[in-house]
Amino acid sequence: MRILGIDPGTIRLGYGVIDLVGPAKLSYVECGVISAPARLQRVDRLATIGRGLRDLLNELRPTMAAMEQAFFGKNVQSTLALGEARGVALFVTSECGLPIAGYAPARIKSTVVGHGRATKAQIGFVVRALLAMRRVPEADAADALAIAICHARHQGIAASLSPGRRARR
């Protein structure tokens, strides 16, 4: 089973791909960031990120995806922008027929690091260790790998999802 973790954003979308080999073995495949120039209008940045995500899906062929659920911040504009970025990622993964699950940020941190208030540095350190990586990936990619690891660990508990449907966690 190949799992794509997505950390959405309107300028940078972090992604991380792992293979779940058997019930408990995780294998690192790839991670990185799909970026769009900040000087572009938001709609053009989202289109750029969407095309990059579609290309990534076609190349790496994951069997399922997981993404951080939206959270509500004090800045309404930031919350709306994140929702738009999530919408693009949901559309592209659904269009490609992937089932997608959503996890709350605290659940991801708790599952991967052991507590729900982990820092980005702690997440990167633990992700590197769990996946036997040579170096800590950049923050957006490490977050995406953490999302994929969270999904892999909860996969035995979660029911199968039909393509394009989200699970609430």
Side-chain angles (χ1 to χ4, degrees):
M1 177 181 317
R2 181 162 284 184
I3 303 168
L4 168 67
I6 301 170
D7 183 29
T10 59
I11 296 176
R12 298 167 50 88
L13 178 139
Y15 69 88
V17 181
I18 62 172
D19 285 337
L20 178 58
V21 185
K25 173 115 170 71
L26 302 177
S27 175
Y28 170 75
V29 176
E30 183 174 316
C31 71
V33 173
I34 299 169
S35 298
R39 63 176 159 61
L40 294 178
Q41 295 287 329
R42 186 184 310 165
V43 68
D44 296 324
R45 292 193 314 261
L46 291 170
T48 298
I49 288 171
R51 283 189 298 273
L53 181 57
R54 185 177 293 117
D55 291 346
L56 180 76
L57 293 172
N58 289 332
E59 178 185 342
L60 297 178
R61 302 273 185 214
T63 54
M64 57 182 37
M67 184 169 31
E68 187 175 81
Q69 288 178 337
F71 62 91
F72 303 99
K74 293 179 181 178
N75 184 327
V76 174
Q77 289 302 315
S78 294
T79 302
L80 287 172
L82 178 60
E84 290 173 350
R86 289 187 80 251
V88 167
L90 287 168
F91 173 77
V92 171
T93 54
S94 177
E95 183 181 57
C96 291
L98 285 181
I100 186 160
Y103 296 92
R107 181 152 190 187
I108 296 164
K109 292 173 183 180
S110 178
T111 300
V112 175
V113 178
H115 61 89
R117 294 190 178 265
T119 65
K120 290 211 177 266
Q122 289 171 323
I123 292 168
F125 180 81
V126 172
V127 163
R128 183 196 62 75
L130 288 173
L131 298 176
M133 299 172 76
R134 290 180 39 196
R135 62 184 63 87
V136 174
E138 60 182 297
D140 293 324
D143 288 348
L145 285 167
I147 294 164
I149 291 167
C150 176
H151 185 63
R153 289 191 170 168
H154 290 285
Q155 187 55 36
I157 301 166
S160 295
L161 301 171
S162 61
R165 301 269 324 244
R166 285 189 334 209
R168 294 189 188 258
R169 302 255 178 239

